[in-house]
Amino acid sequence: MLDQQNIDEESLHLAKIGSNFLGILNDIKRRPEDAARELQIPIEQIQSIIQGKLAPSSEIIERASSVWPVNEKDFYVPKDDCSTGVKIFRVDESKKSARIMTRAGKPYYEYRDTAMSCVAPFRPEWIMELCFVDNNNPENVDVQWNNGHFMHQFTYFIGEVNFYYKNDNGSKEVEIMNTGDSMYITPFVPHSFATRKGAKENGLILALTYGNKLTGDVQDELSSLNTNLGSEFTMDFTNTMSASASLLKYFMESASISIEELSKTSSISENNLIKFTNAELMPSNQELSLLAKALRINVRDLIPNDKIENKVVIQHYEKARKWNFPLSTTAYEFIELASTTALPFSKAFEINVRSIDNSELDLRVGLHQFIYNIGETNIILNWEIENEKIQTTIYPGDSLYIKPFIKHNFRGDGKLLVLRIGGKIAGEAQRELSILGKDNVKRAISETTQWFDPSGK
C-alpha cells in the first residue's frame, strides 16, 4: 500500500513538473519543436517532459537557463508531502528531534521540531527555557539576546516565562508571561526568553515562526537589486499621514506624472497635491476617488493602513476575547490570541473542543493552519479530501498542518492551539486570481494547453 502511495505521489509530481514546463514554454512563446531545437534534444524528450513521463535533467535545466530568460529554479516544482491535505507530527517524533542550544557557554534552550510541510510557510518550534532568572530586570546579565530573524513570530507561553525584547525605540523591555499568554513580533526584533526563578518546572514556548509575502520569489527579486535600490521599495509607514504621502508619490513616479498634470486630470489644486505629497494634509474620500481615476488605479491602492501598530504585540490571556462557534452546536470555544492588523490573514486562537455528538465537518478555512494539542486529552480529527473521509487521533503534544479549504472537525474534550496564516496567495494574489476566474485559475495551477492551436481555431 505504501509503495503504491509513493508511486502515485511520484506520478503526480512528474505531472506537475510537465505542466510547469509547458507553462514556461507558453510564457516565452516557444513551441515544443522550438524548445527541442534550442536545447538540442529530441522533440520526443520535450513531449515526454510535458506529458509528465520524464523530469528534465539538470543538464537540460542548466542549458535552458543559459539560452532563455528564465532561472534554473523556475523548473523545479516543490514536492507535495501533504497529499491527503493533513500532515501529522507525533509527539514521539518531536522528542527525537530535541537539541540543546548553548549561549555564553551554558545550556539556554532545548529545541524540538513540530509539524512542518514543504507546502506550508510555517517553521514552528517547541522551545524549553533552560535559563532561570531571579529578577525581572530587562538588563539581567544572564539573559542572552538574539539578533532577530527574518521570520514573523507568534509565541504561545506555557508556565512562568519572561519575554525580553527591544521596543520601537531600541530600549530593552521585559514582559511577565504565564500560561495562555501570547505575543507577536515582526522580523528582526531582538528578543529572548527565560524561566522565572521559583517556577515548578522550566517554562515552555511554542514559537511559531513563518514567512509571509517577502520570502521566496519576492526575496529573490530584492536580491537581484543592490541593497540601496532594494531598500527604496520601503515607504514611510511610521504614521498614517506619511504612509498616505508615500503611496501617492510612488504611484505618481510610476506613472511619470507631475503635480501640474495630476492637478489637471484630477481637478485637485496644485497646492493641495503638494500638501498631500509632503504629508501635510490627508486627501478626502472624494479626492482619493479623483486621484485614483487620474492615476488609473483603485482607490484602495492609495489608502494606508488605518492603524500603525508596534512591532511587538502582547496579549494576556485574561484579557482575550472569547466566543462560541458554530452557534448551532457551540462545538468550540475560540479564545483570540495575539495578532496584528499589519498581517490581516494571520489569526491565532486557543480552541476549547467540547464533546458533542455531531459528525458535521464544521470547519473550513482558506488559510494554512498549524495546530498543536496543548491539552491533556486525545482529540479526534475528521477531514475530507477528494470525497474521501479520513479520521485520526491527535494525542497531547502532537502537532499537525492542514491545507487551506480542507473540510474538517475536531471532536472530544480538549484544548488546541491554532495558528492560521495566508501564505503567498491570500491578499493581492487572491485578488489577481479572482480577476482571472476559476476556469483560468485551473490553468494557472496546472497548465495543459499550448497558448495557441497549431491546427488553427
Side-chain angles (χ1 to χ4, degrees):
M1 182 70 178
L2 187 59
D3 289 341
Q4 183 60 47
Q5 181 180 344
N6 290 336
I7 293 171
D8 292 343
E9 289 180 354
E10 184 62 28
S11 298
L12 180 61
H13 187 60
L14 281 174
K16 289 182 177 180
I17 291 173
S19 170
N20 180 64
F21 192 86
L22 176 59
I24 291 173
L25 296 187
N26 280 350
D27 291 345
I28 60 174
K29 300 301 182 285
R30 286 335 192 250
R31 299 164 299 175
E33 53 266 37
D34 301 323
R37 183 182 67 256
E38 293 175 354
L39 298 181
Q40 301 175 8
I41 59 177
I43 190 170
E44 292 79 13
Q45 195 169 351
I46 293 291
Q47 295 288 10
S48 293
I49 294 172
I50 292 173
Q51 293 165 7
K53 299 177 181 177
L54 176 71
S57 65
S58 57
E59 291 80 7
I60 290 175
I61 292 174
E62 184 177 354
R63 196 177 308 156
S65 63
S66 67
V67 299
W68 296 337
V70 294
N71 295 309
E72 289 189 18
K73 75 178 191 64
D74 295 337
F75 293 90
Y76 292 99
V77 177
K79 280 201 170 185
D80 184 358
D81 60 353
C82 189
S83 58
T84 64
V86 174
K87 184 175 182 181
I88 298 171
F89 197 71
R90 299 297 182 185
V91 63
D92 289 342
E93 297 176 274
S94 181
K95 290 177 180 178
K96 289 177 183 178
S97 70
R99 61 265 187 202
I100 302 295
M101 301 290 178
T102 60
R103 293 188 183 179
K106 297 179 181 179
Y108 201 77
Y109 292 136
E110 178 184 337
Y111 274 78
R112 296 181 190 176
D113 291 340
T114 58
M116 288 182 271
S117 169
C118 300
V119 299
F122 297 105
R123 294 294 178 264
E125 301 152 345
W126 178 105
I127 307 175
M128 180 178 287
E129 284 65 54
L130 305 180
C131 172
F132 282 79
V133 291
D134 56 8
N135 61 53
N136 299 324
N137 184 355
E139 300 289 345
N140 191 315
V141 294
D142 292 328
V143 176
Q144 304 300 318
W145 293 68
N146 65 19
N147 299 315
H149 46 67
F150 187 41
M151 300 288 274
H152 297 271
Q153 181 169 326
F154 165 84
T155 304
Y156 182 87
F157 294 82
I158 300 174
E160 301 175 38
V161 181
N162 276 7
F163 165 45
Y164 301 85
Y165 65 95
K166 287 190 177 181
N167 63 24
D168 292 355
N169 298 321
S171 300
K172 291 182 178 180
E173 292 197 24
V174 61
E175 193 75 27
I176 299 171
M177 309 296 273
N178 295 290
T179 300
D181 292 343
S182 57
M183 67 80 173
Y184 160 80
I185 53 173
T186 59
F188 300 123
V189 171
H191 58 280
S192 188
F193 305 93
T195 304
R196 288 194 295 279
K197 188 175 182 180
K200 293 181 179 179
E201 53 189 3
N202 293 81
L204 176 65
I205 62 171
L206 295 173
L208 312 182
T209 58
Y210 56 97
N212 196 49
K213 307 300 184 187
L214 296 183
T215 55
D217 288 343
V218 175
Q219 191 174 16
D220 290 342
E221 186 173 337
L222 283 170
S223 299
S224 69
L225 308 171
N226 62 42
T227 53
N228 290 331
L229 292 176
S231 63
E232 287 299 311
F233 277 101
T234 60
M235 301 183 191
D236 184 357
F237 272 28
T238 53
N239 58 67
T240 304
M241 188 86 77
S242 296
S244 177
S246 295
L247 288 166
L248 178 56
K249 285 190 289 186
Y250 180 81
F251 282 108
M252 287 179 63
E253 290 175 358
S254 299
S256 295
I257 191 168
S258 65
I259 290 283
E260 294 78 10
E261 182 62 29
L262 185 57
S263 178
K264 292 177 186 177
T265 54
S266 67
S267 300
I268 298 174
S269 71
E270 292 182 22
N271 185 51
N272 274 3
L273 289 176
I274 291 171
K275 289 182 178 179
F276 295 161
T277 55
N278 288 339
E280 298 171 357
L281 182 68
M282 286 283 289
S284 66
N285 289 339
Q286 182 181 3
E287 287 168 329
L288 284 172
S289 294
L290 292 171
L291 289 168
K293 183 177 181 180
L295 292 167
R296 299 287 193 270
I297 58 177
N298 288 300
V299 172
R300 73 179 188 89
D301 297 322
L302 292 172
I303 299 177
N305 295 350
D306 57 1
K307 185 178 181 182
I308 306 298
E309 290 196 295
N310 294 330
K311 293 182 179 180
V312 177
V313 178
I314 305 292
Q315 177 65 64
H316 288 290
Y317 190 81
E318 66 271 13
K319 296 181 180 179
R321 186 166 60 126
K322 302 177 182 180
W323 64 88
N324 295 321
F325 182 86
L327 288 178
S328 58
T329 63
T330 64
Y332 315 102
E333 180 188 35
F334 277 71
I335 297 93
E336 189 175 44
L337 304 179
S339 64
T340 172
T341 57
L343 299 175
F345 301 102
S346 296
K347 306 291 182 184
F349 307 100
E350 182 181 298
I351 299 180
N352 289 321
V353 181
R354 293 168 172 151
S355 182
I356 65 168
D357 185 16
N358 184 317
S359 61
E360 178 187 1
L361 300 178
D362 48 21
L363 295 171
R364 179 179 178 270
V365 180
L367 303 171
H368 298 273
Q369 292 190 91
F370 171 86
I371 297 167
Y372 190 101
N373 187 345
I374 56 176
E376 299 179 353
T377 57
N378 301 340
I379 298 290
I380 301 299
L381 167 65
N382 299 283
W383 77 97
E384 182 178 272
I385 185 168
E386 303 294 339
N387 296 319
E388 179 185 359
K389 292 186 177 180
I390 308 173
Q391 182 182 92
T392 192
T393 301
I394 308 301
Y395 301 97
D398 285 353
S399 54
L400 59 141
Y401 162 69
I402 302 181
K403 282 183 175 179
F405 297 112
I406 292 291
K407 291 182 179 179
H408 62 287
N409 70 28
F410 297 102
R411 293 294 182 259
D413 185 5
K415 185 177 293 187
L416 301 172
L417 172 66
V418 178
L419 177 64
R420 300 170 175 171
I421 66 173
K424 296 289 190 296
I425 300 174
E428 292 302 316
Q430 186 176 20
R431 287 176 179 269
E432 188 171 344
L433 286 172
S434 300
I435 293 170
L436 298 182
K438 283 194 175 183
D439 289 340
N440 288 328
V441 168
K442 290 176 181 177
R443 285 187 61 187
I445 296 170
S446 180
E447 180 61 279
T448 58
T449 307
Q450 187 169 292
W451 88 94
F452 78 100
D453 187 345
S455 65
K457 186 175 181 180

